[in-house]
Amino acid sequence: MNPLRRGSARLQSAKGVASAPAPLGGPQPPAPAPGDYAEFLRTMLPRQQKNVASHRFGGERVWLKKAGPRHGKWGYRVMAAVARMARLDIIKPVPNPGGEAAIATEARRLRQLAAAGLRVPAVLAQQADGLLISDLGESGRATVVLQERLDQAAAAGPAALLAVWREGLAAIAKVHACGQHLSQAFDRNLVQCPDGVIGYIDFEDDPSEVMTLAECQARDWLSFLHSTAMMLEAAAPEAAGQHWHAALAEVDEAVRRRIAEAARRMKWAQRLPASRRWGRDTQRVRAVARLLGRWYGAAV
């Protein structure tokens, strides 16, 4: 088995699956007047069964998110355990309130990031229990999730993989340069738009409610590494480390210090079992710890 290929075998969390593009639904109700997004949201919300689904409204694709139950923490149990054992709050899963609170959080964060000049879906309409947002694609041209691009690049070899991975690093650095942070900066939540710009999705929780900005930004870097560490370790760990340090050279010293501290405190996780029977998330945490240990050397 080629260790660089994840393809369809790669497991996502339940939240990641919900965030991924879904096929357009079945028959649509009579369309409200053109541009009346609020009426479209009011009409479609009680008819939609899924928490997240795409629709056609006139000539555009839109996404409707409805208030759902609070997300369980089972998908993050390994990271939560590592956070407790290493006394690293910056990698602790942030509570997702679910329901109307999650709708309000996502709308606020999308507006906040858009005001900073970052590529995020536009908030088209909002009510307490639902949110209508734009698609980041264009007419006839869809977005591509960075996770998919990494999978494809990994099959082409280490050089191709690193080229795409560096785009992810640059996209995170761009957010931080604007004085902002993401929510869950995994590769599945970074999308390449048709014009090549990287956009950002999925903001149902806000780490800044329980962390400082420096902690939130350090968490972004570690989240991205967590979602990509296994393929990096299998392909080109040394070259990836050079790109990692080059990207972090321009960030705030407080952020770099927290990441170096994480590398030191996660050193023990290098000894986690490598067997797949211990679960994919355990493998990812082990890969993160091994990469950080390699990249920070004597500092850990």
Side-chain angles (χ1 to χ4, degrees):
M1 178 176 178
N2 184 348
L4 302 185
R5 296 182 65 91
R6 296 178 295 180
S8 60
R10 177 172 178 173
L11 300 179
Q12 295 182 345
S13 71
K15 183 176 174 65
V17 172
S19 301
L24 295 178
Q28 302 292 311
D36 193 347
Y37 296 116
E39 177 62 18
F40 184 84
L41 175 60
R42 187 191 69 78
T43 302
M44 286 301 304
L45 190 61
R47 303 175 185 229
Q48 181 171 297
Q49 299 299 313
K50 297 179 179 179
N51 287 340
V52 184
S54 60
H55 304 272
R56 288 288 185 194
F57 181 38
E60 64 181 314
R61 181 176 184 151
V62 296
W63 292 86
L64 193 157
K65 306 187 77 170
K66 63 188 301 183
R70 179 177 182 147
H71 288 288
K73 295 182 179 179
W74 67 269
Y76 307 102
R77 61 187 184 279
V78 176
M79 287 302 293
V82 171
R84 288 194 301 270
M85 295 178 69
R87 304 188 308 281
L88 274 173
D89 286 343
I90 62 172
I91 64 172
K92 180 174 64 177
V94 174
N96 183 322
E100 295 182 359
I103 292 293
T105 296
E106 179 136 22
R108 173 176 54 80
R109 296 270 13 247
L110 288 173
R111 292 188 174 104
Q112 186 179 59
L113 293 167
L118 298 166
R119 183 72 62 87
V120 292
V123 176
L124 303 175
Q126 178 185 359
Q127 58 187 61
D129 56 348
L131 184 67
L132 189 70
I133 60 178
S134 68
D135 186 79
L136 289 177
E138 299 172 358
S139 179
R141 303 171 66 196
T143 60
V144 182
V145 179
L146 193 68
Q147 180 188 73
E148 297 177 11
R149 294 188 59 218
L150 286 165
D151 284 335
Q152 295 167 359
L161 170 64
L162 289 174
V164 176
W165 188 67
R166 289 177 65 187
E167 292 182 36
L169 295 179
I172 293 173
K174 182 178 181 180
V175 173
H176 296 176
C178 295
Q180 298 294 324
H181 65 281
L182 298 174
S183 175
Q184 296 186 30
F186 302 129
D187 55 1
R188 67 172 185 259
N189 291 331
L190 304 179
V191 296
Q192 184 183 43
C193 300
D195 62 359
V197 174
I198 299 292
Y200 314 90
I201 60 173
D202 205 345
F203 296 97
E204 294 180 359
D205 53 52
D206 184 359
S208 69
E209 294 178 352
V210 293
M211 299 179 186
T212 67
L213 179 59
E215 290 170 336
C216 289
Q217 293 181 345
R219 183 176 184 269
D220 283 347
W221 292 111
L222 293 173
S223 295
F224 184 61
L225 184 60
H226 175 262
S227 65
T228 58
M230 288 180 63
M231 58 169 49
L232 292 176
E233 187 180 28
E238 292 298 337
Q242 295 174 12
H243 296 317
W244 173 267
H245 286 299
L248 266 63
E250 303 299 322
V251 309
D252 188 84
E253 170 61 27
V255 176
R256 292 200 302 272
R257 187 169 61 248
R258 283 169 171 78
I259 293 174
E261 177 69 5
R264 185 181 69 80
R265 292 192 176 187
M266 288 183 68
K267 185 176 180 180
W268 64 270
Q270 297 179 37
R271 298 189 294 273
L272 286 171
S275 173
R276 295 184 64 173
R277 69 186 183 90
W278 289 89
R280 193 75 166 180
D281 211 37
T282 299
Q283 290 181 300
R284 290 194 184 106
V285 171
R286 179 178 182 272
V288 170
R290 286 167 60 88
L291 286 176
L292 290 175
R294 181 191 296 259
W295 295 349
Y296 287 86
V300 301

